[in-house]
Amino acid sequence: MTELYHRNMPRPITTAPTTTLDALVALLRDRRIAVLVGAGLSTDSGIPDYRGPGTRHRTRSPIQYDDFVQSAAARQRYWARASRGWPRVAQAQPNAGHRALARLDAAGRLTGTITQNVDGLDRAARVLEGTDAQAPVIDLHGRLANVVCLECQRTHARVDVQRWIAALNPGHLEPLGADKREGDLLAPDGDFELDEATVARFVPPTCPVCDGALKPDVVFFGESVPKPRVAEAQVVVAEADALLVVGSSLAVYSGYRFVRQADKASIPVAIVTLGETRGHRHAAVALDAPLGEVLPALTERLLVA
């Protein structure tokens, strides 16, 4: 492999992003890459996104942080719905796109992966590829697999919380009938559409240590990403020679900030996702294409000696 790109080398100036795989390969070939992952990477694993072509028509109202911590009714509604969606998330497996990025990591081509997803598939892909992460994998918004008590701050495994929910609510976790498509009722954070009568009779779980309210260890809308986590992600971008954004609309500032950071530092940005994003104006290359096709092809060409 040729020596990796250094940022002080001349960078082509473009007025609009180019849109071919060849251009993407040329941009990334000799650079160390920071990867920013959005929900679009997990759709091939059966977890929907919020703003993709197939989901923009759906009305979604994600739980707000203030509502959750201040309202017992909001927590009841959240856990009633999330407990039904969790099995689909827990059973999901990394897809070809996740595994392609894991191979780039194993080859030492990444400075790190910043994932906006809470499904844990970026880490699971490293296991399937038979390698530990060579560079950091930063769960920017946390992981659904962990649950924290808002009172005593103890952390519990989601699989245990799910077991407590099943005991408190017999029959609640039974699959829907064959005439229902459970995937159509699921959101990327595990939220699952339920009727209000089902929500009203649901008994939410509490901490077995102090009986405090439980919250998934993820960043809700209206909640800030912990500053140390943001700082760690900023280092991943700062150490890179290119930023590759995959499967994100960049509509949420918590991810978009890293595109702005890269642009300000003259680190070239490449975007691969379905549809346009608010980061396109910063991008040197932008592909509107399926990640399950582009990422394996990109990885194969980047890893040719």
Side-chain angles (χ1 to χ4, degrees), residues 6-281:
H6 292 287
R7 201 173 305 140
N8 59 2
M9 293 172 61
R11 171 189 171 198
I13 298 175
T14 59
T15 57
T18 51
T19 57
T20 67
L21 178 59
D22 286 345
L24 182 64
V25 172
L27 179 71
L28 301 179
R29 184 181 300 281
D30 298 325
R31 292 175 163 96
R32 294 194 71 210
I33 307 161
V35 181
L36 176 63
V37 173
L41 183 59
S42 292
T43 56
D44 285 350
S45 296
I47 301 174
D49 56 12
Y50 276 115
R51 302 175 182 87
T55 53
R56 287 194 182 107
H57 66 283
R58 301 185 195 175
T59 301
R60 296 287 191 187
S61 299
I63 186 75
Q64 299 291 312
Y65 175 74
D66 286 345
D67 291 341
F68 186 92
V69 298
Q70 294 172 10
S71 168
R75 292 192 293 274
Q76 178 190 40
R77 181 179 185 275
Y78 173 84
W79 281 114
R81 293 163 62 101
S83 60
R84 288 300 305 270
W86 166 246
R88 180 75 172 260
V89 176
Q91 294 163 14
Q93 294 295 312
N95 59 53
H98 292 109
R99 298 185 71 157
L101 293 176
R103 290 194 295 275
L104 281 179
D105 179 43
R109 294 301 309 274
L110 306 185
T111 61
T113 298
I114 306 163
T115 179
Q116 300 175 86
N117 299 339
V118 294
D119 51 40
L121 294 180
D122 303 275
R123 294 178 183 274
R126 271 67 173 174
V127 176
L128 284 179
E129 288 299 316
T131 179
D132 292 330
Q134 300 298 305
V137 177
I138 300 170
D139 298 295
L140 191 65
H141 296 151
R143 294 181 62 188
L144 283 175
N146 300 321
V147 176
V148 64
C149 174
L150 294 178
E151 298 297 329
C152 69
Q153 304 304 311
R154 285 179 172 84
T155 299
H156 305 283
R158 178 60 182 267
V159 291
D160 291 334
V161 175
Q162 197 75 358
R163 180 165 47 82
W164 305 336
I165 289 172
L168 290 167
N169 300 275
H172 179 74
L173 302 181
E174 293 297 320
L176 295 176
D179 60 328
K180 299 287 188 178
R181 297 181 59 192
E182 298 216 2
D184 289 342
L185 304 177
L186 184 70
D189 59 359
D191 187 51
F192 189 92
E193 294 181 16
L194 289 177
D195 62 83
E196 292 305 316
T198 300
V199 171
R201 60 176 177 264
F202 178 82
V203 181
T206 57
C207 177
V209 177
C210 72
D211 201 36
L214 296 176
K215 174 185 176 292
D217 196 10
V218 300
V219 177
F220 281 171
F221 282 80
E223 184 179 5
S224 298
V225 178
K227 290 182 179 179
R229 200 178 299 166
V230 173
E232 185 182 5
Q234 288 172 332
V235 170
V236 165
V237 175
E239 292 181 345
D241 300 312
L243 173 63
L244 173 62
V245 180
V246 296
S248 177
S249 67
L250 299 171
V252 179
Y253 180 75
S254 63
Y256 179 57
R257 79 176 91 202
F258 302 112
V259 173
R260 293 188 61 182
Q261 175 191 347
D263 185 61
K264 185 176 181 180
S266 296
I267 299 170
V269 175
I271 298 174
V272 183
T273 194
L274 293 175
E276 191 162 338
T277 78
R278 72 166 171 170
H280 270 55
R281 64 192 181 94

